Amino acid sequence: MIQSPAAPAAPALPLDTALATGPDSAHAGSAPSVAHGPCAEPTRVLARFEDWARNTPQAPAVIDGTRIWTYQDLDAAAALVAADLADRVRPGDLVGVCLDRSTALVVTAVALARLGAVYLPLGPRPGERRIQAVTEDLDVACLIGDPGVLPEEHRGGQHFPLPLPTAGVNAPAVAVAAVADSVRGTRRAPEGALYAVLTSGSTGRPKAVAVAESSLSVALDWYRSETGLAPGDRQSLLIGVAFDPHLLELWAALTSGAALVPAPDDTRWDSRVLTDWWRDTALTHAVAATPTVEPLLDRPWPQDLKLRHLVVGGDRMRRRPGADVTATVHNAYGPAEATVVTTTHTMRATDPEAGDRTPPPIGTALPGVTLVVTDEEGRPVARGQEGELRVGGHCLALGYLDPELTARRFTAPAPDAELPAVERLYRTGDRVRMNTDGSLDFLGRLDDQVKISGVRIEPAEVEAAFEQDPRVRAAVVTVLRDSSGHGRLVAHVRPTDGADPAAGDLLDAVRSWLPEQAVPTAVRIVDGFPLDANGKVDRPALAAQAQAQAQAQAPQSPLAAASGDPAEAATGTGTDVDAAVTAAERLVLTTVRDLLGRPDTGLGDHFTDAGGTSVVAARLLASVERETGVRLRAPELLRSTDLRAFAALLDQRLTARPEGA
């Protein structure tokens, strides 16, 4: 579900699979791995919203804290913004949106749809160099956002104030349309695009894929039908704005007469805060990333929620919801190139498999979707055999803004595939297996792409970001996974001759190029890279070296570290802090080091500067609560000046607890 980047051509399948997939293998005793979802016809998106605004003008459209925006209010606000942009934005123009989940974002989305402009969500704090690369490649008419977060060339360009809401959840302090004075890129969105989203690119520059209104409408029609979203319901606006599932949330509510509820930022850092928010806002429908939801499944499900449907996706789900989960959970899969969601598997508390600690399938095809599992030649394999997933149907994006990339990734079916109604198939690069009932099991990637915190990352893009630095000769990025399957990126950097860069300085330099999830948690400075028999960099060997180093430097557990030598536990070197550290400091430091895989992290480091992300924060808070019984919240972690201050807060809570609590 979370953005699915472009991938290089898939390598050959394993030998045993390739041998089993000759030209006639799909018909040698079992059905071919081809499945079609129910029939679907595209509808309208903006027109459905306008129907609700006309027929139910006083119904709530956005519930923003204590402020309720009715459909009439939202319609009028979007009309004002569209009028202000009309002289500067033409139909088909790309408009970069640098706003967070907020009423301002919703108003902007509706206004751009009215103008026929192409909504390009970039997130509230886009990396300056990343956005510079985007605007050098793409013909972006303007950026919309708070001038303080815009890249330098747009901060210094022409600004046109916009009448967007500046109060409420995640609201901008001020909102402008900013036009850079520099020359714009040349690539425009294809005709008929409603929105475009960035995907990861192996060249180090992000790629943009464009989606038509008709394709989004099919996904929205499925969502309304499957979840019953209707007037009186409340839908989350939770997913990060840089990722396409937020469009499913936003337009699902506005096309069904329901109300959108923007999520405060701390809901993505703490799963308990998330469930509190669901409860306090009386949400009935939510979309969330798999890594955010998984901690909720490991403890008793709150029984006082009104949540009826929860759609999760972006990473492999490692267990099924238990019988106590009162919401229907939809395990969803879908690359951005196939419009957010392509397959789903629905799970209810009454299922015989409820609570099984086995991964559920990623499900069956949505309406209008064709699924084909193929060999390396593009021919369907037999059901039960592994292969690459290719997707066709109404769900397909128009393509990338790079025509050559579109031609490589969106291809015609193989001549003998017997798919007469399918003109194009998107090569996902995902390795799957189709079961006899047409459902899919996700087995991994066929290329080097990896999932980190629910987002697909192209290691080559991260490597290219490091290699922009003149101190770096070459970089190779690998993934380390812990026992629960959670991954973190490690960069292996070979410096240029005479350079002696610090790992922290290199990480700071790449933050402006990369989204949060793509910034490695650790950098290893190396003299060279091991090579395999073919003379290529031996990535598994590098990963093994990093794994061995992490195991050698990590303590057995936070509790074991807390009972060991204080100075060694606190610093790993004995030089970072005095020996007289508290148990809370030892616990916090050893846990952070373990989660980030950075044994050099000190108590004087701030959590995010050390590489902490929202997913890591949630795991840190859960670990602290498990070890001590003290529940701390994400804002307390983020507001702390450093890890020592956060540990001091934990010490205070431990001291304040009554005896035996």
Side-chain angles (χ1 to χ4, degrees):
M1 228 172 81
I2 304 297
Q3 157 182 346
S4 175
L13 299 176
L15 181 60
D16 57 347
T17 302
L19 290 175
T21 55
D24 300 318
S25 62
H27 306 283
S30 65
S33 292
V34 177
H36 304 279
C39 293
E41 288 297 330
T43 56
R44 301 299 302 274
V45 175
L46 179 63
R48 287 187 68 98
F49 161 74
E50 292 174 334
D51 286 344
W52 288 110
R54 182 168 52 253
N55 297 328
T56 59
Q58 298 308 312
V62 180
I63 299 175
D64 188 354
T66 58
R67 169 72 194 271
I68 296 179
W69 292 71
T70 66
Y71 272 81
Q72 183 179 62
D73 295 334
L74 183 59
D75 185 62
L80 288 175
V81 173
D84 278 8
L85 288 172
D87 292 338
R88 304 174 183 91
V89 175
R90 299 167 298 168
D93 278 353
L94 286 160
V95 176
V97 179
C98 304
L99 298 169
D100 208 342
R101 303 166 302 251
S102 61
T103 304
L105 178 78
V106 181
V107 171
T108 300
V110 175
L112 293 179
R114 276 230 174 100
L115 290 170
V118 182
Y119 172 91
L120 176 64
L122 301 173
R125 290 170 291 277
E128 185 158 327
R129 297 174 80 174
R130 181 177 175 85
I131 299 308
Q132 181 181 356
V134 170
T135 53
E136 286 174 354
D137 292 344
L138 307 182
D139 184 7
V140 178
C142 64
L143 299 184
I144 293 177
D146 186 326
V149 305
L150 299 180
E152 183 177 359
E153 61 179 4
H154 284 82
R155 288 198 299 270
Q158 302 177 65
H159 291 177
F160 305 96
L162 294 177
L164 287 170
T166 54
V169 173
N170 302 322
V174 63
V176 302
V179 180
D181 294 330
S182 58
V183 177
R184 297 190 331 213
T186 58
R187 290 177 179 159
R188 294 179 56 82
E191 185 177 353
L194 174 68
Y195 70 87
V197 291
L198 299 183
T199 68
S200 188
S202 59
T203 64
R205 300 178 79 87
K207 307 300 182 185
V209 61
V211 177
E213 180 182 24
S214 58
S215 296
L216 181 62
S217 76
V218 173
L220 296 175
D221 290 346
W222 163 81
Y223 189 91
R224 288 190 301 269
S225 174
E226 182 71 16
T227 69
L229 185 65
D233 287 331
R234 298 185 177 192
Q235 167 70 53
S236 68
L237 183 56
L238 172 66
I239 299 295
V241 174
F243 307 117
D244 59 323
H246 86 276
L247 285 150
L248 182 70
E249 297 180 284
L250 189 154
W251 286 109
L254 298 186
T255 57
S256 58
L260 268 173
V261 186
D265 194 54
D266 60 352
T267 55
R268 71 189 184 103
W269 295 82
D270 189 331
S271 58
R272 291 188 183 272
V273 172
L274 177 63
T275 53
D276 288 346
W277 177 68
W278 286 347
R279 178 187 302 107
D280 295 343
T281 57
L283 274 183
T284 58
H285 295 68
V287 178
T290 307
T292 304
V293 172
E294 280 189 324
L296 303 177
L297 304 181
D298 291 328
R299 56 177 183 258
W301 186 262
Q303 296 299 298
D304 54 352
L305 301 178
K306 293 187 177 180
L307 192 69
R308 301 200 310 271
H309 288 272
L310 173 61
V311 177
V312 299
D315 207 341
R316 186 182 309 191
M317 203 170 189
R318 293 172 175 85
R319 57 161 297 178
R320 295 170 185 263
D324 63 333
V325 176
T326 52
T328 298
V329 179
H330 307 267
N331 186 31
Y333 162 88
E337 290 85 348
T339 315
V340 188
V341 59
T342 306
T343 68
T344 59
H345 178 72
T346 300
M347 295 169 284
R348 300 178 175 86
T350 55
D351 293 342
E353 305 88 355
D356 279 2
R357 292 187 172 272
T358 55
I362 57 174
T364 54
L366 264 62
V369 173
T370 291
L371 307 174
V372 188
V373 183
T374 74
D375 62 16
E376 60 184 3
E377 302 299 329
R379 297 169 302 202
V381 301
R383 295 200 180 191
Q385 294 181 353
E386 300 178 8
E388 180 185 8
L389 175 61
R390 305 192 187 209
V391 179
H394 290 304
C395 63
L396 285 194
L398 294 169
Y400 300 101
L401 272 61
D402 179 348
E404 293 183 3
L405 183 59
T406 300
R408 290 199 303 269
R409 302 302 302 169
F410 293 83
T411 61
D416 55 353
E418 298 182 6
L419 295 169
V422 177
E423 296 181 356
R424 296 188 304 155
L425 291 173
Y426 169 66
R427 298 188 63 179
T428 67
D430 288 328
R431 186 166 57 91
V432 300
R433 176 177 52 241
M434 184 175 289
N435 302 308
T436 55
D437 63 354
S439 66
L440 295 177
D441 293 326
F442 181 82
L443 304 175
R445 291 289 300 174
L446 287 167
D447 53 32
D448 290 334
Q449 282 186 353
V450 296
K451 277 284 186 71
I452 301 294
S453 301
V455 178
R456 287 182 177 173
I457 303 297
E458 188 89 56
E461 179 179 18
V462 185
E463 293 162 1
F466 277 96
E467 290 167 0
Q468 299 284 342
D469 194 309
R471 297 168 295 179
V472 175
R473 172 177 292 179
V476 176
V477 172
T478 62
V479 180
L480 289 187
R481 296 198 180 275
D482 59 23
S483 58
S484 62
H486 295 287
R488 48 186 166 84
L489 296 178
V490 176
H492 312 262
V493 172
R494 182 183 179 189
T496 55
D497 292 340
D500 186 23
D505 292 342
L506 293 176
L507 284 173
D508 289 341
V510 300
R511 290 183 195 279
S512 64
W513 280 104
L514 302 170
E516 176 193 43
Q517 294 85 349
V519 178
T521 61
V523 172
R524 296 179 67 236
I525 305 298
V526 298
D527 295 329
F529 305 123
L531 303 179
D532 61 19
N534 296 320
K536 298 181 179 180
V537 174
D538 192 339
R539 291 174 182 268
L542 271 178
Q545 292 173 8
Q547 185 75 51
Q549 179 179 341
Q551 291 173 346
Q553 294 174 320
Q556 294 177 349
S557 71
L559 285 181
S563 62
D565 182 276
E568 184 177 354
T571 69
T573 63
T575 60
D576 187 37
V577 297
D578 294 333
V581 294
T582 69
E585 288 177 337
R586 291 193 292 272
L587 173 62
V588 168
L589 188 58
T590 53
T591 304
V592 169
R593 285 177 171 177
D594 181 55
L595 292 174
L596 295 179
R598 295 187 64 180
D600 59 337
T601 303
L603 288 167
D605 293 330
H606 187 270
F607 173 73
T608 54
D609 291 341
T613 65
S614 57
V615 172
V616 174
R619 294 169 63 195
L620 170 62
L621 297 171
S623 180
V624 167
E625 182 177 6
R626 184 171 59 251
E627 299 288 350
T628 68
V630 175
R631 180 186 176 192
L632 297 171
R633 300 210 176 222
E636 295 173 315
L637 170 63
L638 301 178
R639 285 197 298 263
S640 299
T641 54
D642 51 29
L643 294 176
R644 182 181 286 107
F646 179 65
L649 180 61
L650 174 58
D651 262 329
Q652 292 174 10
R653 301 288 174 83
L654 285 169
T655 304
R657 295 178 68 199
E659 188 72 24

